[in-house]
Amino acid sequence: FLACLLLSEEDGVAAVALANCTSGPLLGTLAADLVRIVAEAEPRIPEPWRPAPEVDGSVLELAGAWYWGTHSFGLRLPADGSLELGPLAGSGRRARFRAEPDGTWTGLSGYYAGETLRAVRREDGSLSHLDLGSFVFTREPYEVGASVPGGVEPEAWRGGE
């Protein structure tokens, strides 16, 4: 019989080839091909989720649901210290942001590339809204008292009464 065991520690893949003969098949080549095919074609098993190391409270406060008008977005905190903004459902504008020393964030990708994201706070220090270029994101759709460019006319939102 012939036997070959070949493994790739880097890819986390191994192959075993067995033949019931004393000569002939090149089992080393066969096992190497199997390892290469699996390493190239199989999806990688992702690293298990781990909580991010300590996150600054003022940054953590930014995470969660935000609304531009009535369109819902999620602001996420990846482990690399950036921010990701994207729709909570369906398709739409997505972007990644990097922190700046002055407490603002700069868009790195998508529609908001190069734009500044700024957390706007009330006089008491609580978070009011996000200002992203000319876009205002609030915690509630058309939140009462929020800074909405052009304002919101309460009598105009009655749905055709």
Side-chain angles (χ1 to χ4, degrees):
F1 70 92
L2 297 173
C4 179
L5 167 66
L6 187 77
L7 73 103
S8 168
E9 281 188 64
E10 180 180 321
D11 296 310
V13 176
V16 176
L18 304 170
N20 194 13
C21 60
T22 56
S23 64
L26 300 174
L27 296 185
T29 302
L30 174 65
D33 284 346
L34 289 171
V35 166
R36 179 186 52 77
I37 289 167
V38 171
E40 291 174 358
E42 282 294 311
R44 300 281 180 225
I45 296 172
E47 289 294 319
W49 178 86
R50 289 182 175 75
E54 274 190 50
V55 176
D56 181 280
S58 64
V59 175
L60 185 59
E61 184 181 25
L62 302 177
W66 289 93
Y67 292 85
W68 178 60
T70 58
H71 193 74
S72 59
F73 286 82
L75 194 62
R76 296 167 182 85
L77 307 176
D80 66 3
S82 65
L83 292 179
E84 290 180 352
L85 178 70
L88 287 177
S91 62
R93 296 175 178 160
R94 298 179 180 280
R96 191 172 189 92
F97 298 85
R98 86 165 165 257
E100 299 297 341
D102 65 358
T104 63
W105 299 79
T106 300
L108 301 176
S109 62
Y111 184 82
Y112 301 110
E115 294 288 347
T116 299
L117 172 65
R118 185 172 55 91
V120 178
R121 299 196 173 273
R122 296 179 186 92
E123 287 185 23
D124 66 1
S126 64
L127 188 57
S128 170
H129 61 277
L130 300 178
D131 181 343
L132 178 51
S134 63
F135 297 90
V136 173
F137 290 82
T138 58
R139 287 293 190 182
E140 298 289 331
Y142 292 115
E143 191 172 286
V144 176
S147 175
V148 176
V152 176
E153 179 59 45
E155 296 300 318
W157 296 99
R158 293 184 177 257
E161 285 182 25

